[in-house]
């Protein structure tokens, strides 16, 4: 789930030209963060004023996306697209002029302070209504079948006791979605007793109550599962084309859209992995299944599972990990951006077992003691030299 969105999608929104897929991507992006929604409202305001100026440092990339779109679509909207393009170019020019004139003075590492993530999430019901779980504690939501209790940073679904009836009507499957933004995490207990810890910048879609012969959920991002055993109803996790079938077990799945790999790390129990309609690949405890999205190839390897599950226990476990990969993890948890001054810095490797709930300055100081890297920051961007 990206912290930024393709400007092309926004442009098509303002010109009533969104496809269904574009609309879904925009909806997910808006729901994932209050910052995204604020940004979107700012763009709407700028657009209404015909003043598309300097609200996004990635505007140049966005303009390249628009240019490619214009070349592909030779239709009646071409003149409008060109006019919009000129507005964006004018905005770009002004943006860079203003930035050149503004003196940016990054702060040293001793003044860098970003707090760790907290338990926060947005619960989205089937009808589109939402509850911000960070702001509300001891929230109880009830319907005819399920009691939903949000207490002590855990969202708990419990099936109500029902009177036995002679005739049973087939249940309509209703879904809820839990959206965890950058700088957040949340614990969830499903009606079957399965527990899920959802990591930053992740989305889990799940039935309010499981019916039928399987228990199906959909994941974007990363989550740690402890699935309640039920041989008659396998638990199936969908991450795009990738499926994980579970028979009662403990494991971690990481599958962010911007990354090419879906990693399933098994601690105990039994799971299989497959693509939709493909053969199942069995995974045994202490091993990891790596699915490459570009060529749909599976690889299985033995791993130290703590490297991939320590986040769920409040630790960062880095073992010979590149600085580029480390900063992706830190950026999601601390809700910051990292900027490298050169490509060589990206490939520097580190190992360490660090506390996840400390201020980011503690981690940066430890990394800087290697004398291979220095840090500075401006606003919410950390520069690596």
């Amino acid at each position: 789930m990206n912290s930024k969105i393709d400007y092309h999608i926004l442009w098509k929104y303002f010109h009533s030209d969104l496809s269904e897929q574009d609309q879904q991507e925009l909806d997910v992006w808006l729901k994932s963060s209050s910052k995204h929604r604020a940004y979107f409202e700012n763009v709407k305001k700028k657009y209404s004023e015909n003043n598309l100026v300097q609200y996004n440092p990635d505007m140049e990339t966005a303009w390249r996306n628009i240019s490619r779109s214009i070349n592909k679509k030779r239709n009646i909207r071409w003149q409008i697209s060109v006019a919009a393009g000129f507005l964006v170019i004018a905005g770009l020019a002004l943006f860079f002029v203003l930035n050149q004139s503004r003196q940016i003075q990054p702060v040293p590492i001793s003044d860098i302070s970003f707090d760790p993530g907290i338990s926060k999430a947005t619960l989205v019901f089937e009808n589109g209504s939402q509850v911000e779980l960070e702001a509300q504690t001891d929230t109880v939501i009830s319907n005819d079948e399920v009691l939903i209790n949000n207490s002590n940073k855990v969202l708990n679904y419990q099936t109500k006791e029902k009177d036995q009836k002679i005739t049973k009507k087939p249940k309509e499957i209703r879904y809820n979605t839990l959206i965890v933004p950058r700088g957040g995490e949340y614990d969830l207990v499903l009606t079957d007793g399965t527990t899920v810890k959802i990591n930053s910048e992740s989305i889990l879609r799940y039935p309010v109550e499981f019916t039928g012969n399987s228990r199906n959920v959909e994941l974007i991002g990363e989550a740690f599962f402890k699935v309640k055993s039920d041989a008659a109803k396998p638990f199936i996790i969908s991450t795009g084309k990738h499926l994980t079938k579970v028979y009662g077990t403990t494991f971690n799945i990481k599958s962010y859209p911007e990354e090419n790999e879906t990693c399933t790390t098994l601690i105990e129990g039994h799971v299989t992995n497959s693509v939709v309609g493909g053969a199942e690949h069995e995974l045994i405890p202490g091993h990891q299944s790596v699915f490459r999205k570009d060529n749909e190839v599976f690889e299985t390897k033995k791993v130290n599972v703590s490297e991939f599950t320590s986040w769920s226990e409040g630790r960062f476990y880095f073992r010979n990990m590149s600085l580029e990969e480390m900063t992706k993890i830190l950026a999601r948890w601390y809700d910051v951006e990292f900027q490298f001054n050169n490509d060589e810095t990206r490939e520097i490797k580190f190992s360490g077992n660090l506390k996840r709930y400390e201020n980011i300055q503690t981690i940066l100081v430890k990394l800087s003691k290697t004398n291979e890297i220095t840090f500075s920051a401006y606003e919410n961007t950390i520069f690596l030299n």
Side-chain angles (χ1 to χ4, degrees), residues 327-346:
T327 54
K328 290 179 182 178
I329 296 171
L330 296 175
R332 293 188 186 108
W333 180 235
Y334 289 96
D335 193 13
V336 297
E337 302 292 339
F338 285 89
Q339 182 172 314
F340 290 87
N341 283 352
N342 58 71
D343 289 336
E344 290 76 13
T345 306
R346 299 175 186 272

Side-chain angles (χ1 to χ4, degrees), residues 348 350 365-373:
I348 298 174
F350 287 95
V365 167
K366 290 179 179 179
L367 294 176
S368 65
K369 286 181 178 179
T370 63
N371 295 323
E372 293 190 76
I373 187 73

Side-chain angles (χ1 to χ4, degrees), residues 283-350:
L283 191 62
I284 60 176
H287 288 69
Q288 182 182 77
S289 169
V290 180
F291 171 71
R292 291 184 172 80
K293 302 173 187 177
D294 56 355
N295 54 17
E296 298 187 2
V297 171
F298 284 92
E299 176 191 355
T300 302
K301 56 186 179 182
K302 185 174 178 61
V303 296
N304 180 348
V305 296
S306 295
E307 294 179 43
F308 306 95
T309 62
S310 59
W311 71 268
S312 66
E313 300 173 346
R315 308 287 300 188
F316 289 120
Y317 190 165
F318 304 124
R319 190 170 76 89
N320 200 32
M321 182 180 291
S322 72
L323 198 55
E324 181 173 29
E325 291 304 311
M326 284 180 60
T327 54
K328 290 179 182 178
I329 296 171
L330 296 175
R332 293 188 186 108
W333 180 235
Y334 289 96
D335 193 13
V336 297
E337 302 292 339
F338 285 89
Q339 182 172 314
F340 290 87
N341 283 352
N342 58 71
D343 289 336
E344 290 76 13
T345 306
R346 299 175 186 272
E347 301 305 318
I348 298 174
K349 299 191 184 302
F350 287 95

Side-chain angles (χ1 to χ4, degrees), residues 7 42-55 59 87-88 90-92 94:
Y7 182 82
N42 185 40
V43 174
K44 286 174 67 175
K45 180 179 178 182
K46 297 289 185 182
Y47 183 84
S48 65
E49 295 171 353
N50 290 322
N51 184 26
L52 302 178
V53 179
Q54 81 143 37
Y55 52 85
M59 190 77 82
L87 282 174
V88 173
L92 271 172
L94 181 56

Side-chain angles (χ1 to χ4, degrees), residues 92-370:
L92 271 172
L94 181 56
F95 170 75
F96 287 117
V97 168
L98 292 176
N99 269 307
Q100 289 297 322
S101 63
R102 183 177 63 182
Q103 186 70 23
I104 296 177
Q105 296 181 349
V107 299
I109 190 171
S110 59
D111 294 330
I112 298 175
S113 179
F114 293 101
D115 291 328
I118 61 174
S119 292
K120 61 180 178 179
T122 301
L123 174 61
V124 183
F125 297 99
E126 177 123 337
N127 62 7
S129 62
Q130 302 181 13
V131 176
E132 297 295 336
L133 300 181
E134 176 189 10
Q136 298 191 34
T137 59
D138 297 328
T139 303
V140 178
I141 303 165
S142 179
N143 59 33
D144 292 339
E145 300 173 344
V146 176
L147 181 70
I148 307 172
N149 181 33
N150 181 58
S151 179
N152 296 321
K153 305 174 183 179
V154 178
L155 186 65
N156 194 336
Y157 285 71
Q158 295 177 312
T159 304
K160 291 182 178 180
E161 295 292 335
K162 305 179 184 67
D163 296 330
Q164 295 295 325
K165 296 181 179 180
I166 298 176
T167 58
K168 293 184 177 180
K169 295 181 180 180
K171 295 180 181 178
E172 178 184 356
I173 299 178
R174 294 180 295 110
Y175 287 88
N176 283 179
T177 302
L178 197 60
I179 301 174
V180 180
R182 288 166 68 94
E185 63 180 7
Y186 222 81
D187 291 319
L188 171 68
V189 181
L190 300 172
T191 51
D192 66 341
T194 292
T195 64
V196 191
K197 191 175 191 69
I198 307 172
N199 206 353
S200 302
E201 205 168 19
S202 301
I203 299 174
L204 187 71
R205 183 174 181 264
Y206 50 91
V208 173
E209 187 176 14
F210 291 110
T211 62
N213 298 321
S214 62
R215 297 169 288 166
N216 296 71
V217 302
E218 301 169 26
L219 173 67
I220 298 173
E222 184 170 26
F224 182 83
F225 291 83
K226 290 185 179 180
V227 173
K228 197 75 170 179
S229 180
D230 186 346
K233 290 185 177 183
F235 194 97
I236 301 174
I237 303 165
S238 170
T239 52
K241 293 183 179 180
H242 180 273
L243 299 177
T244 298
K245 186 179 290 186
V246 186
Y247 298 92
T249 189
T250 305
F251 60 100
N252 191 82
I253 293 185
K254 182 180 180 183
S255 183
Y256 285 99
E258 66 272 20
E259 297 178 358
N260 187 45
E261 296 179 345
T262 296
C263 298
T264 307
T265 308
L266 182 60
I267 292 86
E268 61 180 33
H270 174 216
V271 307
T272 63
N273 292 281
S274 66
V275 294
V276 177
E280 296 183 4
H281 303 263
E282 186 173 356
L283 191 62
I284 60 176
H287 288 69
Q288 182 182 77
S289 169
V290 180
F291 171 71
R292 291 184 172 80
K293 302 173 187 177
D294 56 355
N295 54 17
E296 298 187 2
V297 171
F298 284 92
E299 176 191 355
T300 302
K301 56 186 179 182
K302 185 174 178 61
V303 296
N304 180 348
V305 296
S306 295
E307 294 179 43
F308 306 95
T309 62
S310 59
W311 71 268
S312 66
E313 300 173 346
R315 308 287 300 188
F316 289 120
Y317 190 165
F318 304 124
R319 190 170 76 89
N320 200 32
M321 182 180 291
S322 72
L323 198 55
E324 181 173 29
E325 291 304 311
M326 284 180 60
T327 54
K328 290 179 182 178
I329 296 171
L330 296 175
R332 293 188 186 108
W333 180 235
Y334 289 96
D335 193 13
V336 297
E337 302 292 339
F338 285 89
Q339 182 172 314
F340 290 87
N341 283 352
N342 58 71
D343 289 336
E344 290 76 13
T345 306
R346 299 175 186 272
E347 301 305 318
I348 298 174
K349 299 191 184 302
F350 287 95
S351 297
N353 191 334
L354 308 171
K355 293 180 181 179
R356 178 173 157 95
Y357 295 104
E358 290 188 329
N359 192 287
I360 198 172
Q361 185 187 87
T362 303
I363 295 175
L364 300 183
V365 167
K366 290 179 179 179
L367 294 176
S368 65
K369 286 181 178 179
T370 63

